[in-house]
Coordinates of all heavy atoms in Angstrom, one line a residue:
E156 N 151.8 107.3 126.9 CA 152.6 108.4 127.6 C 153.6 109.0 126.6 O 154.4 109.9 127.0 CB 153.3 107.8 128.8 CG 152.3 107.4 129.9 CD 153.0 106.8 131.1 OE1 154.2 106.6 131.2 OE2 152.2 106.4 132.1
G157 N 153.7 108.5 125.4 CA 154.5 109.1 124.4 C 155.9 108.7 124.3 O 156.8 109.2 123.6
Y158 N 156.3 107.6 125.1 CA 157.6 107.0 124.9 C 157.8 106.4 123.6 O 158.8 106.5 123.0 CB 157.9 106.0 126.0 CG 158.0 106.6 127.4 CD1 156.9 106.6 128.3 CD2 159.2 107.2 127.8 CE1 157.0 107.2 129.5 CE2 159.3 107.7 129.1 CZ 158.2 107.7 130.0 OH 158.3 108.3 131.2
I159 N 156.7 105.8 123.1 CA 156.7 105.2 121.8 C 155.7 106.0 121.0 O 154.5 106.0 121.3 CB 156.3 103.7 121.8 CG1 157.3 102.9 122.6 CG2 156.1 103.2 120.4 CD1 156.8 101.4 122.8
R160 N 156.2 106.7 120.0 CA 155.4 107.7 119.2 C 154.7 107.0 118.1 O 153.7 107.6 117.5 CB 156.2 108.9 118.8 CG 156.7 109.7 119.9 CD 157.3 111.0 119.5 NE 158.3 110.8 118.5 CZ 159.1 111.7 118.1 NH1 159.0 112.9 118.5 NH2 160.1 111.4 117.2
G161 N 155.1 105.9 117.6 CA 154.5 105.2 116.5 C 155.4 104.2 115.9 O 156.5 103.9 116.4
F162 N 155.0 103.6 114.8 CA 155.7 102.6 114.1 C 155.7 102.9 112.6 O 154.7 103.5 112.1 CB 155.1 101.2 114.3 CG 155.0 100.8 115.7 CD1 154.0 101.1 116.5 CD2 156.1 100.1 116.3 CE1 153.9 100.7 117.9 CE2 156.1 99.7 117.6 CZ 155.0 100.0 118.4
R163 N 156.8 102.6 111.9 CA 156.9 102.9 110.5 C 157.7 101.9 109.8 O 158.5 101.2 110.4 CB 157.4 104.3 110.3 CG 158.8 104.5 110.8 CD 159.3 105.9 110.6 NE 160.7 105.9 111.1 CZ 161.5 106.9 111.2 NH1 161.0 108.0 110.7 NH2 162.7 106.8 111.6
A164 N 157.6 101.9 108.5 CA 158.4 101.1 107.6 C 159.7 101.8 107.4 O 159.7 103.0 107.2 CB 157.6 100.8 106.3
V165 N 160.8 101.0 107.4 CA 162.1 101.6 107.0 C 162.3 101.2 105.5 O 162.3 100.0 105.2 CB 163.2 101.0 107.9 CG1 164.6 101.5 107.4 CG2 162.9 101.3 109.3
L166 N 162.4 102.2 104.7 CA 162.4 102.0 103.2 C 163.9 101.9 102.7 O 164.8 102.5 103.4 CB 161.7 103.1 102.5 CG 160.3 103.3 103.0 CD1 159.7 104.6 102.3 CD2 159.4 102.1 102.8
D167 N 164.1 101.3 101.6 CA 165.4 101.2 101.0 C 165.5 102.3 99.9 O 164.8 102.3 98.9 CB 165.5 99.8 100.3 CG 166.9 99.7 99.7 OD1 167.6 100.7 99.3 OD2 167.4 98.5 99.6
P168 N 166.2 103.4 100.2 CA 166.3 104.5 99.3 C 166.9 104.2 98.0 O 166.6 104.8 97.0 CB 167.2 105.5 100.1 CG 167.9 104.8 101.1 CD 167.1 103.6 101.4
V169 N 167.8 103.2 97.9 CA 168.4 102.8 96.6 C 167.3 102.1 95.7 O 167.2 102.5 94.6 CB 169.6 101.8 96.8 CG1 170.1 101.3 95.5 CG2 170.7 102.5 97.6
K170 N 166.5 101.2 96.3 CA 165.4 100.6 95.5 C 164.4 101.7 95.0 O 163.8 101.5 94.0 CB 164.8 99.5 96.3 CG 165.6 98.3 96.4 CD 164.9 97.1 97.0 CE 165.7 95.9 97.3 NZ 165.9 95.1 96.1
L171 N 164.2 102.7 95.9 CA 163.2 103.8 95.5 C 163.9 104.9 94.7 O 163.2 105.9 94.4 CB 162.6 104.3 96.8 CG 161.8 103.3 97.6 CD1 161.5 103.9 99.0 CD2 160.6 103.0 96.9
R172 N 165.1 104.7 94.3 CA 165.8 105.7 93.5 C 165.9 107.0 94.2 O 165.7 108.1 93.6 CB 165.2 105.8 92.1 CG 165.3 104.5 91.3 CD 164.8 104.5 89.9 NE 165.4 105.7 89.2 CZ 164.6 106.4 88.4 NH1 163.4 106.2 88.2 NH2 165.2 107.4 87.7
L173 N 166.2 107.0 95.5 CA 166.3 108.2 96.3 C 167.6 108.2 97.1 O 167.7 108.4 98.3 CB 165.1 108.4 97.3 CG 163.8 108.6 96.6 CD1 162.7 108.5 97.6 CD2 163.7 109.9 95.9
E174 N 168.7 107.9 96.4 CA 170.0 107.7 97.1 C 170.8 109.0 97.2 O 171.9 109.0 97.9 CB 170.8 106.5 96.5 CG 171.0 106.6 95.1 CD 171.6 105.3 94.6 OE1 172.6 104.8 95.2 OE2 171.1 104.8 93.6
H175 N 170.4 110.1 96.6 CA 171.2 111.3 96.7 C 170.8 112.0 98.0 O 169.7 112.4 98.3 CB 170.9 112.2 95.5 CG 171.8 113.5 95.6 ND1 171.3 114.6 96.2 CD2 173.0 113.7 95.1 CE1 172.3 115.5 96.0 NE2 173.3 115.0 95.4
I176 N 171.8 112.3 98.9 CA 171.6 113.0 100.2 C 172.5 114.2 100.2 O 173.6 114.2 99.8 CB 172.0 112.1 101.4 CG1 171.2 110.8 101.4 CG2 171.7 112.8 102.7 CD1 171.7 109.8 102.3
A177 N 171.9 115.3 100.6 CA 172.6 116.5 100.8 C 172.2 117.1 102.1 O 171.0 117.1 102.5 CB 172.4 117.5 99.7
F178 N 173.1 117.7 102.8 CA 172.9 118.5 104.0 C 173.0 120.0 103.6 O 173.9 120.4 103.0 CB 173.8 118.2 105.1 CG 173.5 116.8 105.7 CD1 174.1 115.7 105.3 CD2 172.6 116.7 106.8 CE1 173.8 114.4 105.8 CE2 172.3 115.5 107.3 CZ 172.9 114.3 106.8
T179 N 171.9 120.7 104.0 CA 171.9 122.1 103.6 C 171.8 123.0 104.8 O 170.9 122.8 105.7 CB 170.6 122.4 102.7 OG1 170.6 121.4 101.6 CG2 170.6 123.8 102.2
E180 N 172.8 123.9 104.9 CA 172.8 124.9 106.0 C 171.9 126.0 105.5 O 172.0 126.4 104.3 CB 174.2 125.4 106.2 CG 175.2 124.5 106.8 CD 176.5 125.1 107.0 OE1 176.8 126.3 106.6 OE2 177.4 124.4 107.5
V181 N 171.0 126.5 106.4 CA 170.2 127.6 106.0 C 170.4 128.7 107.0 O 170.3 128.5 108.2 CB 168.7 127.2 106.0 CG1 167.8 128.4 105.7 CG2 168.4 126.1 105.0
K182 N 170.7 129.9 106.5 CA 170.8 131.1 107.3 C 169.6 132.0 107.0 O 169.3 132.2 105.9 CB 172.1 131.9 107.1 CG 172.3 133.0 108.0 CD 173.8 133.3 108.1 CE 174.1 134.5 109.1 NZ 173.7 134.2 110.4
L183 N 168.9 132.4 108.1 CA 167.7 133.2 107.9 C 168.1 134.7 108.0 O 169.1 135.1 108.6 CB 166.6 133.0 109.0 CG 166.1 131.5 109.1 CD1 165.0 131.4 110.1 CD2 165.6 131.0 107.7
S184 N 167.2 135.5 107.3 CA 167.4 137.0 107.4 C 167.1 137.6 108.7 O 167.6 138.7 109.1 CB 166.6 137.7 106.3 OG 165.2 137.3 106.4
E185 N 166.2 136.9 109.4 CA 165.9 137.3 110.8 C 165.5 136.1 111.6 O 165.0 135.1 111.0 CB 164.8 138.4 110.8 CG 163.5 137.9 110.2 CD 162.4 139.0 110.2 OE1 162.0 139.4 111.3 OE2 162.0 139.5 109.1
T186 N 165.6 136.2 112.9 CA 165.3 135.0 113.8 C 164.3 135.4 114.9 O 164.4 134.9 116.0 CB 166.6 134.5 114.4 OG1 167.3 135.5 115.1 CG2 167.5 133.8 113.3
T187 N 163.4 136.2 114.5 CA 162.3 136.5 115.5 C 161.4 135.3 115.6 O 161.5 134.4 114.7 CB 161.4 137.7 115.0 OG1 160.8 137.3 113.7 CG2 162.3 139.0 114.8
E188 N 160.7 135.2 116.7 CA 159.8 134.0 116.8 C 158.8 133.9 115.6 O 158.6 132.8 115.2 CB 159.0 134.1 118.1 CG 159.7 133.6 119.3 CD 160.3 132.2 119.2 OE1 159.5 131.3 118.8 OE2 161.5 132.0 119.5
K189 N 158.4 135.0 115.1 CA 157.4 135.0 114.0 C 158.1 134.4 112.7 O 157.6 133.6 112.0 CB 156.9 136.4 113.7 CG 155.9 136.4 112.6 CD 155.3 137.8 112.5 CE 154.3 137.9 111.4 NZ 153.7 139.2 111.2
A190 N 159.4 134.8 112.5 CA 160.2 134.3 111.4 C 160.5 132.8 111.5 O 160.3 132.0 110.6 CB 161.4 135.1 111.2
L191 N 160.9 132.4 112.7 CA 161.2 131.0 113.0 C 159.9 130.2 112.8 O 160.0 129.1 112.2 CB 161.8 130.8 114.4 CG 163.1 131.5 114.6 CD1 163.4 131.4 116.1 CD2 164.2 130.9 113.8
S192 N 158.8 130.6 113.3 CA 157.6 129.8 113.2 C 157.2 129.7 111.7 O 156.7 128.7 111.3 CB 156.5 130.5 114.0 OG 156.7 130.4 115.3
A193 N 157.3 130.8 110.9 CA 156.9 130.7 109.5 C 157.8 129.8 108.8 O 157.4 129.0 107.9 CB 157.1 132.1 108.9
F194 N 159.2 129.8 109.0 CA 160.1 128.9 108.4 C 159.7 127.4 108.8 O 159.6 126.5 107.9 CB 161.5 129.2 108.8 CG 162.5 128.2 108.2 CD1 163.1 128.5 106.9 CD2 162.9 127.1 108.8 CE1 164.0 127.6 106.4 CE2 163.8 126.2 108.3 CZ 164.3 126.4 107.0
N195 N 159.5 127.2 110.1 CA 159.2 125.8 110.6 C 158.0 125.3 109.9 O 158.0 124.1 109.5 CB 159.0 125.9 112.1 CG 160.3 126.2 112.9 OD1 161.4 126.2 112.3 ND2 160.1 126.4 114.1
A196 N 156.9 126.1 109.8 CA 155.7 125.6 109.2 C 155.9 125.3 107.7 O 155.4 124.3 107.2 CB 154.6 126.6 109.4
A197 N 156.6 126.1 107.0 CA 156.8 125.9 105.6 C 157.7 124.7 105.3 O 157.5 124.0 104.3 CB 157.4 127.2 105.0
V198 N 158.8 124.5 106.1 CA 159.7 123.5 105.7 C 159.1 122.1 105.9 O 159.4 121.1 105.2 CB 161.0 123.6 106.6 CG1 160.8 123.1 108.0 CG2 162.2 122.8 105.9
L199 N 158.1 122.0 106.8 CA 157.4 120.7 107.0 C 156.6 120.3 105.7 O 156.3 119.1 105.6 CB 156.3 120.9 108.1 CG 156.9 121.1 109.5 CD1 155.8 121.4 110.5 CD2 157.8 119.9 110.0
R200 N 156.4 121.2 104.8 CA 155.6 120.8 103.6 C 156.5 120.4 102.4 O 156.0 120.0 101.4 CB 154.8 122.0 103.2 CG 153.7 122.3 104.1 CD 152.7 123.4 103.6 NE 153.2 124.7 103.5 CZ 153.3 125.6 104.4 NH1 152.7 125.4 105.6 NH2 153.8 126.8 104.1
I201 N 157.8 120.4 102.7 CA 158.7 119.9 101.6 C 159.1 118.4 101.8 O 159.8 118.1 102.7 CB 160.0 120.8 101.6 CG1 159.7 122.2 101.4 CG2 161.0 120.3 100.5 CD1 160.9 123.2 101.4
K202 N 158.5 117.6 101.0 CA 158.7 116.1 101.2 C 160.1 115.7 101.1 O 160.5 114.7 101.7 CB 157.7 115.4 100.3 CG 158.1 115.4 98.8 CD 157.2 114.5 98.0 CE 157.4 114.7 96.5 NZ 158.5 114.0 95.9
E203 N 160.9 116.4 100.3 CA 162.3 115.9 100.1 C 163.2 116.2 101.4 O 164.3 115.6 101.5 CB 163.0 116.6 98.9 CG 162.4 116.3 97.6 CD 161.1 117.1 97.2 OE1 160.6 117.9 98.0 OE2 160.6 116.9 96.1
V204 N 162.7 117.0 102.3 CA 163.4 117.3 103.5 C 163.1 116.2 104.5 O 162.0 116.2 105.0 CB 163.1 118.7 104.1 CG1 163.7 118.9 105.4 CG2 163.5 119.8 103.1
E205 N 164.1 115.4 104.8 CA 163.9 114.3 105.7 C 164.0 114.7 107.2 O 163.4 114.1 108.1 CB 164.9 113.2 105.5 CG 164.6 112.3 104.3 CD 165.5 111.0 104.3 OE1 166.4 110.9 105.1 OE2 165.2 110.2 103.4
A206 N 164.9 115.7 107.4 CA 165.1 116.2 108.8 C 165.4 117.7 108.7 O 166.0 118.1 107.8 CB 166.2 115.4 109.4
C207 N 165.0 118.3 109.8 CA 165.3 119.8 109.9 C 165.6 120.1 111.3 O 164.7 119.7 112.2 CB 164.1 120.6 109.4 SG 164.3 122.4 109.7
H208 N 166.7 120.6 111.6 CA 167.1 120.9 113.0 C 167.5 122.4 113.1 O 168.3 122.9 112.3 CB 168.3 120.1 113.4 CG 168.1 118.6 113.3 ND1 167.5 117.9 114.3 CD2 168.3 117.7 112.3 CE1 167.3 116.7 114.0 NE2 167.8 116.5 112.8
M209 N 167.0 123.1 114.1 CA 167.5 124.4 114.4 C 168.8 124.3 115.1 O 169.0 123.5 116.0 CB 166.5 125.1 115.3 CG 166.8 126.6 115.6 SD 165.7 127.4 116.8 CE 164.2 127.5 115.8
I210 N 169.8 125.1 114.7 CA 171.2 124.9 115.1 C 171.6 126.2 115.9 O 171.3 127.3 115.5 CB 172.1 124.7 113.9 CG1 171.7 123.4 113.1 CG2 173.5 124.6 114.3 CD1 171.9 122.2 113.9
A211 N 172.4 126.0 116.9 CA 173.0 127.1 117.6 C 174.4 127.2 117.0 O 175.3 126.3 117.2 CB 173.1 126.9 119.1
G212 N 174.7 128.3 116.2 CA 176.0 128.4 115.5 C 175.9 129.5 114.5 O 175.2 130.4 114.6
S213 N 176.8 129.3 113.5 CA 176.9 130.3 112.4 C 175.8 130.3 111.4 O 175.7 131.2 110.5 CB 178.3 130.2 111.7 OG 178.4 128.9 111.1
F214 N 174.9 129.3 111.5 CA 173.7 129.3 110.6 C 172.6 128.9 111.5 O 172.7 128.6 112.7 CB 173.9 128.3 109.4 CG 174.3 126.9 109.8 CD1 173.3 126.0 109.9 CD2 175.6 126.6 110.0 CE1 173.7 124.7 110.2 CE2 176.0 125.3 110.4 CZ 175.0 124.3 110.5
D215 N 171.4 128.9 110.9 CA 170.2 128.7 111.8 C 169.5 127.3 111.7 O 169.0 126.8 112.7 CB 169.1 129.8 111.4 CG 169.6 131.2 111.6 OD1 170.1 131.5 112.7 OD2 169.7 131.9 110.6
Y216 N 169.6 126.7 110.5 CA 169.0 125.4 110.4 C 169.9 124.5 109.6 O 170.6 124.9 108.7 CB 167.6 125.4 109.6 CG 166.5 126.1 110.4 CD1 166.3 127.4 110.4 CD2 165.7 125.3 111.2 CE1 165.3 128.0 111.1 CE2 164.7 125.8 111.9 CZ 164.5 127.2 111.9 OH 163.4 127.7 112.7
L217 N 169.8 123.2 109.9 CA 170.5 122.1 109.1 C 169.4 121.2 108.6 O 168.7 120.6 109.3 CB 171.5 121.4 109.9 CG 172.3 120.3 109.1 CD1 173.2 121.0 108.0 CD2 173.2 119.5 110.1
L218 N 169.3 121.1 107.2 CA 168.3 120.2 106.6 C 169.0 119.0 106.0 O 170.1 119.1 105.4 CB 167.6 120.9 105.5 CG 167.1 122.3 105.7 CD1 166.4 122.9 104.5 CD2 166.1 122.3 106.9
K219 N 168.4 117.8 106.2 CA 168.8 116.6 105.4 C 167.8 116.5 104.3 O 166.6 116.3 104.5 CB 168.8 115.4 106.3 CG 169.2 114.1 105.6 CD 169.1 112.9 106.5 CE 169.4 111.7 105.7 NZ 169.1 110.5 106.6
V220 N 168.3 116.5 103.1 CA 167.5 116.5 101.9 C 167.8 115.3 101.0 O 169.0 115.0 100.7 CB 167.7 117.8 101.0 CG1 166.7 117.8 99.8 CG2 167.5 119.0 101.9
R221 N 166.8 114.5 100.7 CA 167.0 113.3 99.9 C 166.2 113.4 98.6 O 165.0 113.7 98.6 CB 166.5 112.0 100.7 CG 166.8 110.7 99.9 CD 166.3 109.5 100.7 NE 167.0 109.3 101.9 CZ 168.1 108.6 102.0 NH1 168.7 108.1 101.0 NH2 168.7 108.4 103.2

Side-chain angles (χ1 to χ4, degrees):
E156 293 178 2
Y158 290 98
I159 298 172
R160 295 189 306 188
F162 299 89
R163 64 180 179 181
V165 178
L166 305 176
D167 184 334
V169 174
K170 288 186 183 278
L171 295 171
R172 298 181 51 220
L173 294 171
E174 55 190 307
H175 183 270
I176 303 168
F178 286 90
T179 308
E180 293 178 356
V181 177
K182 186 156 183 63
L183 300 184
S184 57
E185 60 180 294
T186 55
T187 62
E188 278 304 313
K189 186 175 179 180
L191 296 172
S192 293
F194 179 89
N195 293 349
V198 78
L199 294 174
R200 293 190 292 271
I201 301 176
K202 69 177 173 76
E203 294 87 355
V204 174
E205 279 191 355
C207 174
H208 300 276
M209 185 185 291
I210 301 294
S213 60
F214 56 95
D215 300 304
Y216 288 90
L217 183 63
L218 311 180
K219 179 183 178 188
V220 184
R221 185 180 294 275

